[in-house]
Amino acid sequence: MIDFTKAFDTVDLVILLHKLSQLSLPGFVINWICSFLSDSQQCKVNGLLSNVVDIGLSIVQGSGIGPTLYTAMKNDLCTVSAVNDIFKYADDTTLLVPQHTDVELDVEFQNVKAWVANNCLKLNLSKTKEILFKWPRVQYFHMPPALNDIEQLDCCKLLGVIFQSNFKMDSHIEFILSQCTQRMYLLKLLRHQGLPDVQLSVVAYAVIISRLLYALPAWEGFLSIELVNRINVFNDVCSILGIFSVA
């Protein structure tokens, strides 16, 4: 998992606009984006104004177009080998190198660092992490050395899902059930305040059921019978309390 330092704030607008110009976008779209990104600042101290300085960095992360522009910025970040893969979701970047590959992880990571330097960005090595997946009952396993300055983890959170190196989902289920249990208290308060069942079910779906179903295809296949039973027990408790029932 590769982390960039202040990813949106450090985007070089000249480099970004150059990349956008290579996407065969209509001219008026490029002009509109240029107008949207153009900005300047001026300071006033003791009644005196400084010179106006153009801002050549940053895209607005909270804007509707911000994540799309950042995606365009990273569009040409690719792996050296076609066997390896890189997943990019806004400012989240994950490099995946399988066991059998023609280009090792350290070479791929050096390629990423070279791309970062060429695009005037900066890696946050303290938040960049490495996780090595292995089957839990493997008999012979050689732990490769960690990349320089990169911490190796046994579990990590990726886009809201906690993955473990042994392909188990204990940590993730523990996390989401803990969240849902806390949110049940909110539902009980709302019921006590007289919120009708129809509206209560809407709130339950928004704050609890949606959390249980989030990214379900990514982790349901790794659930053990024990974890399935824990989810069922949680569902039974909610049904007894009359809050909701997950089919």
Side-chain angles (χ1 to χ4, degrees):
M1 297 172 296
I2 302 170
D3 188 83
F4 293 84
T5 300
K6 296 183 178 180
F8 282 76
D9 296 337
T10 56
V11 171
D12 189 300
L13 299 184
V14 174
I15 296 176
L16 172 60
L17 292 174
H18 175 70
K19 293 185 178 185
L20 291 174
S21 67
Q22 298 177 328
L23 297 179
S24 301
L25 294 174
F28 71 89
V29 174
I30 298 294
N31 292 334
W32 179 82
I33 294 176
C34 287
S35 176
F36 175 75
L37 295 176
S38 298
D39 199 359
S40 59
Q41 67 179 18
Q42 189 177 36
C43 295
K44 184 176 182 180
V45 180
N46 296 328
L48 299 177
L49 290 174
S50 67
N51 296 328
V52 177
V53 179
D54 293 330
I55 300 176
L57 298 176
S58 177
I59 53 180
V60 183
Q61 184 173 1
S63 64
I65 196 175
T68 301
L69 293 177
Y70 192 82
T71 300
M73 182 71 180
K74 292 200 304 184
N75 185 56
D76 57 347
L77 173 57
C78 304
T79 57
V80 177
S81 170
V83 178
N84 304 328
D85 209 343
I86 190 167
F87 302 97
K88 296 170 285 186
Y89 182 82
D91 59 338
D92 290 300
T93 305
T94 304
L95 178 63
L96 180 62
V97 177
Q99 178 182 2
H100 303 291
T101 179
D102 53 347
V103 176
E104 298 298 329
L105 176 60
D106 56 340
V107 178
E108 289 286 7
F109 190 64
Q110 290 301 321
N111 174 66
V112 172
K113 293 173 69 174
W115 180 91
V116 169
N118 291 335
N119 287 272
C120 300
L121 297 172
K122 186 178 180 181
L123 285 179
N124 188 342
L125 295 180
S126 65
K127 291 186 177 180
T128 297
K129 306 298 181 181
E130 178 186 0
I131 183 170
L132 187 66
F133 293 100
K134 57 185 181 299
W135 292 112
R137 296 182 181 179
V138 64
Q139 293 183 352
Y140 302 101
F141 177 75
H142 173 67
M143 187 71 170
L147 295 175
N148 292 337
D149 302 319
I150 303 300
E151 181 184 6
Q152 284 186 335
L153 302 176
D154 290 324
C155 69
C156 63
K157 182 184 291 187
L158 179 61
L159 298 177
V161 179
I162 301 177
F163 294 94
Q164 296 174 228
S165 61
N166 57 5
F167 292 101
K168 293 184 177 181
M169 281 292 162
D170 305 65
S171 298
H172 182 66
I173 298 301
E174 184 71 30
F175 176 69
I176 62 175
L177 289 183
S178 175
Q179 281 190 323
C180 292
T181 301
Q182 294 173 3
R183 295 172 184 181
M184 283 176 58
Y185 178 70
L186 169 64
L187 296 180
K188 288 188 286 187
L189 287 179
L190 292 175
R191 166 165 285 178
H192 180 71
Q193 294 296 326
L195 186 68
D197 288 345
V198 175
Q199 285 80 4
L200 194 66
S201 64
V202 173
V203 177
Y205 189 91
V207 302
I208 295 182
I209 299 178
S210 62
R211 187 66 188 91
L212 289 170
L213 299 179
Y214 174 75
L216 184 63
W219 52 267
E220 66 173 334
F222 298 97
L223 294 182
S224 63
I225 297 298
E226 179 184 356
L227 294 179
V228 172
N229 290 336
R230 288 193 60 185
I231 297 175
N232 290 335
V233 168
F234 177 79
N235 181 47
D236 293 340
V237 171
C238 293
S239 300
I240 293 173
L241 294 177
I243 297 177
F244 67 86
S245 178
V246 181

